[in-house]
């Protein structure tokens, strides 16, 4: 399957991903822990740990955290990264193929990873794994092009039309998108559904920005020579326009609860 191939390609860039991909804002974690208090007695699963960008705030609550990660390189990075936490472990494998006990977890979360899991498999599995009253949390970062340098953004899009013509120009993620994603959970029996949006900017040098692009699976899927030429031209453009490129991030958070008992 194409998604399997992209996942494998993605894992080959694990070290670069762990270094270049951002974490998440403090306000997001405050909202999560307000909705779902987590402590030393809590059993938590992270779906798709990646480079561990979203893991530490949960570990700092003292919970038992089991991560499931398809990429073996990501798994190795995170085992080393969090080796000081005795209640942390990583299972290498696909979430949809990994066996977990039913009704055993207080919280299951996924940061910028649940799109890899087929909806019709992922949501029912999460629901079955959660205890009554348990919580599913899904969040992701959605970067948008440099709104402060529109001419530069336009010039970069011209390069995309040459090197990745199948890749549509990004559309800024908004409240309607977040609500639609949150509403998916209702189809699978979850209640008390909500969502939040958070915003930030990140500014990169030309070299830093192309290094970030090198963590995106669709860019990594390009033939090496083509990818290097593409990235070189983007780097040259950014330098021509002052040497900086700013991403405007929208982070969305979805929260959903499994009823404590049928019909509640």
């Amino acid at each position: 399957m194409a998604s399997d191939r992209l996942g494998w390609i993605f894992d080959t860039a694990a070290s670069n991903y762990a270094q270049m991909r951002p974490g998440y804002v403090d306000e997001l974690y405050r909202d999560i822990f307000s909705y779902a208090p987590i402590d030393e007695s809590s059993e938590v699963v992270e779906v798709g740990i990646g480079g561990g960008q979203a893991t530490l705030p949960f570990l700092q609550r003292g919970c038992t955290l089991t991560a499931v990660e398809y990429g073996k390189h990501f798994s190795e990075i995170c085992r080393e990264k969090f080796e000081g936490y005795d209640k942390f472990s990583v299972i290498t494998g696909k979430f949809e193929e990994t066996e977990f006990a039913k009704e055993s977890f207080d919280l299951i979360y996924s940061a910028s990873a649940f799109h890899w899991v087929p909806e019709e498999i992922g949501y029912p599995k999460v629901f079955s794994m959660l205890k009554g009253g348990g919580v599913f949390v899904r969040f992701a970062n959605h970067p948008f092009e440099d709104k402060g340098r529109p001419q530069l953004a336009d010039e970069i899009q011209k390069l995309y039309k040459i090197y990745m013509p199948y890749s549509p120009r990004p559309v800024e993620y908004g409240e309607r998108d977040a609500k639609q994603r949150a509403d998916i959970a209702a189809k699978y029996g979850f209640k008390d559904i909500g969502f939040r949006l958070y915003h930030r900017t990140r500014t990169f040098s030309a070299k830093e920005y192309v290094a970030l692009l090198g963590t995106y699976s669709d860019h990594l899927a390009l033939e090496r020579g083509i990818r290097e030429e593409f990235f070189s031209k983007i780097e040259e453009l950014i330098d021509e326009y002052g040497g900086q490129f700013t991403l405007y991030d929208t982070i969305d958070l979805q929260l959903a609860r499994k009823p404590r008992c049928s019909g509640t």
Side-chain angles (χ1 to χ4, degrees):
M1 293 175 61
S3 61
D4 288 342
R5 178 174 178 272
L6 287 177
W8 174 81
I9 291 170
F10 197 45
D11 188 51
T12 64
S15 295
N16 194 27
Y17 181 101
Q19 179 180 356
M20 292 302 302
R21 287 295 184 99
Y24 299 88
V25 296
D26 291 343
E27 187 181 358
L28 175 141
Y29 295 108
R30 288 196 295 269
D31 287 341
I32 291 172
F33 298 135
S34 175
Y35 182 93
I38 296 300
D39 58 26
E40 293 85 354
S41 67
S42 302
E43 296 282 344
V44 176
V45 170
E46 179 174 3
V47 180
I49 193 172
Q53 280 80 1
T55 309
L56 186 58
F58 291 90
L59 289 174
Q60 289 174 332
R61 308 290 289 194
C63 65
T64 298
L65 196 158
T66 303
V68 56
E69 169 56 50
Y70 181 47
K72 66 177 182 179
H73 294 108
F74 281 124
S75 296
E76 291 165 2
I77 285 170
C78 290
R79 287 190 186 101
E80 181 177 349
K81 185 174 183 178
F82 302 118
E83 63 182 353
Y85 291 87
D86 294 338
K87 296 166 75 175
F88 172 76
S89 61
V90 183
I91 298 169
T92 303
K94 290 186 177 182
F95 173 69
E96 54 268 41
E97 296 175 357
T98 303
E99 297 225 357
F100 290 96
K102 294 183 178 180
E103 299 185 350
S104 298
F105 299 96
D106 300 284
L107 184 144
I108 299 171
Y109 75 99
S110 186
S112 298
F114 208 66
H115 62 283
W116 293 101
V117 182
E119 174 193 318
E120 66 279 6
I121 297 174
Y123 279 88
K125 181 163 188 170
V126 168
F127 192 89
S128 73
M129 290 167 58
L130 286 170
K131 301 174 184 177
V135 169
F136 178 46
V137 177
R138 177 178 180 173
F139 51 101
N141 185 54
H142 305 274
F144 186 64
E145 62 192 31
D146 194 332
K147 295 190 286 188
R149 301 176 181 87
Q151 190 172 355
L152 171 57
D154 288 343
E155 290 300 318
I156 288 176
Q157 285 305 311
K158 291 178 183 177
L159 292 176
Y160 272 89
K161 288 182 179 178
I162 297 170
Y163 292 95
M164 295 179 66
Y166 49 84
S167 179
R169 186 162 187 164
V171 176
E172 192 165 16
Y173 193 91
E175 187 169 322
R176 179 181 295 180
D177 304 297
K179 185 179 185 305
Q180 287 177 344
R181 181 168 289 181
D183 287 345
I184 294 171
K187 294 160 50 178
Y188 298 95
F190 288 92
K191 305 293 183 184
D192 193 19
I193 294 166
F195 69 91
R196 313 275 193 280
L197 292 178
Y198 314 88
H199 301 278
R200 69 180 173 196
T201 58
R202 292 177 289 146
T203 299
F204 302 87
S205 69
K207 287 189 179 298
E208 290 169 341
Y209 185 63
V210 297
L212 176 67
L213 293 180
T215 70
Y216 295 153
S217 56
D218 55 348
H219 291 63
L220 285 167
L222 292 170
E223 188 274 323
R224 181 176 178 179
I226 294 172
R227 183 174 69 247
E228 289 177 350
E229 182 178 304
F230 181 32
F231 284 5
S232 176
K233 289 185 180 294
I234 290 177
E235 189 173 336
E236 289 171 6
L237 262 180
I238 293 172
D239 282 334
E240 286 175 16
Y241 279 83
Q244 290 188 327
F245 190 83
T246 298
L247 287 176
Y248 287 71
D249 290 339
T250 298
I251 301 169
D252 66 325
L253 166 67
Q254 288 83 35
L255 303 158
R257 193 181 306 278
K258 180 177 179 176
R260 292 190 180 277
C261 59
S262 179
T264 65

